[in-house]
Amino acid sequence: MLRTDLQHQMLPLAGSPPVRWRIADGLVPYDEAVATMEKEVAAIGEGLAPELVWLVEHPSLYTAGTSANAADLIEPDRFPVFATGRGGEYTYHGPGQRVAYVMLDLKRRRQDIRAFVAALEEVIIRTLDSMNVRGERREDRVGVWVRRPEKPLLPDGTMSEDKIAALGIRVRKWVTFHGLSLNVDPDLSHFSGIVPCGISAYGVTSLVDLGLPVMMADVDIRLREAFEQIFGDTANESLNEA
């Protein structure tokens, strides 16, 4: 079955507490983010804490997923490079990009990782739709893509398209971590130091690059609305309450 045809809703069991919704202030160092995720995932898995979505921005860096090909790191000295346990290949994180770390207990929802990936894609697609941007999934490449009819056709004669959001997840005892990144207004030239997600035939874009002068806070509101449509209720949590 295609990811497009999967049932995207992944609501929790009745009586489950709302997902904590946390937005970090400033730029979060990547190693600190991973350490926080490890702690939170352990607590969620043991039933000691509600599920969590943590929105962050990182300083400029590259991460290498479990399928990363060393040849795709074109400029290894440009930014710090972090090996990470998430799925996928190389990606860039930096200011102007909204990273959402999604820590959910699939035992309370659906123990279906493929459906979870499709559900995250659907959150991004609905977020973009609320800003009149048509995001699309591709069955042969994970993430969300935007058609660019104003650009030259690809060598095979098909329409150009750019990636606007990436996904990379890890699951431990059915608790998810890592998540998604949505390009709001990052420096797109920083993607040139890698082959993003191992795909060289397509470009990378952002909301601002598409002509939408949106603020991160506005995107966060729309992202939360879309998340709740798919995954259920959330509740505010500030970083200093964690």
Side-chain angles (χ1 to χ4, degrees):
M1 182 181 289
L2 301 178
R3 292 200 312 283
T4 303
D5 298 328
L6 291 170
Q7 169 54 249
H8 297 135
Q9 272 210 324
M10 299 194 75
L11 298 174
L13 296 172
S16 297
V19 176
R20 291 174 290 153
W21 193 266
R22 180 189 301 171
I23 303 178
D25 292 326
L27 300 179
V28 178
Y30 188 76
D31 51 357
E32 289 185 17
V34 172
T36 298
M37 278 194 287
E38 290 282 355
K39 180 180 73 173
E40 293 285 2
V41 164
I44 293 166
E46 293 169 11
L48 301 176
E51 300 166 302
L52 172 66
V53 172
W54 185 25
L55 304 186
V56 308
E57 287 179 82
H58 288 304
S60 292
L61 58 93
Y62 297 129
T63 65
T66 54
S67 302
N69 180 344
D72 289 340
L73 182 59
I74 299 169
E75 297 183 40
D77 300 323
R78 187 169 183 177
F79 297 123
V81 181
F82 294 87
T84 179
R86 63 160 175 79
E89 303 183 47
Y90 282 103
T91 195
Y92 165 78
H93 295 313
Q97 181 191 71
R98 175 51 85 206
V99 177
Y101 290 126
V102 182
M103 290 160 264
L104 302 182
D105 186 353
L106 298 188
K107 297 189 301 296
R108 308 180 197 178
R109 298 172 181 272
R110 289 163 58 197
Q111 291 174 254
D112 186 332
I113 295 171
R114 195 159 173 263
F116 174 67
V117 170
L120 288 182
E121 289 175 332
E122 186 67 19
V123 168
I124 299 166
I125 288 169
R126 293 189 186 193
T127 300
L128 295 174
D129 184 65
S130 72
M131 294 177 279
N132 296 312
V133 174
R134 183 180 177 183
E136 300 178 75
R137 59 171 59 81
R138 295 288 178 260
E139 294 298 330
D140 60 339
R141 34 193 160 97
V142 173
V144 177
W145 303 78
V146 177
R147 298 177 188 239
R148 304 300 301 270
E150 73 279 14
K151 290 189 172 184
L153 296 177
L154 296 173
D156 63 1
T158 59
M159 185 183 295
S160 290
E161 52 189 45
D162 290 341
K163 193 170 194 175
I164 195 167
L167 278 76
I169 67 165
R170 187 174 180 183
V171 180
R172 180 183 297 154
K173 297 181 179 178
W174 290 107
V175 180
T176 68
F177 53 127
H178 297 280
L180 62 89
S181 59
L182 174 61
N183 296 331
V184 179
D185 188 21
D187 185 336
L188 295 178
S189 70
H190 291 170
F191 284 90
S192 65
I194 56 172
V195 178
C197 302
I199 301 171
S200 58
Y202 305 96
V204 180
T205 191
S206 69
L207 290 170
V208 171
D209 182 53
L210 292 172
L212 291 171
V214 294
M215 303 296 290
M216 189 70 75
D218 183 51
V219 174
D220 288 347
I221 291 169
R222 296 168 186 272
L223 185 66
R224 185 173 185 171
E225 291 172 347
F227 178 89
E228 289 186 332
Q229 292 168 13
I230 304 295
F231 290 101
D233 292 340
T234 63
N236 288 333
E237 181 192 69
S238 64
L239 188 60
N240 56 18
E241 292 173 345

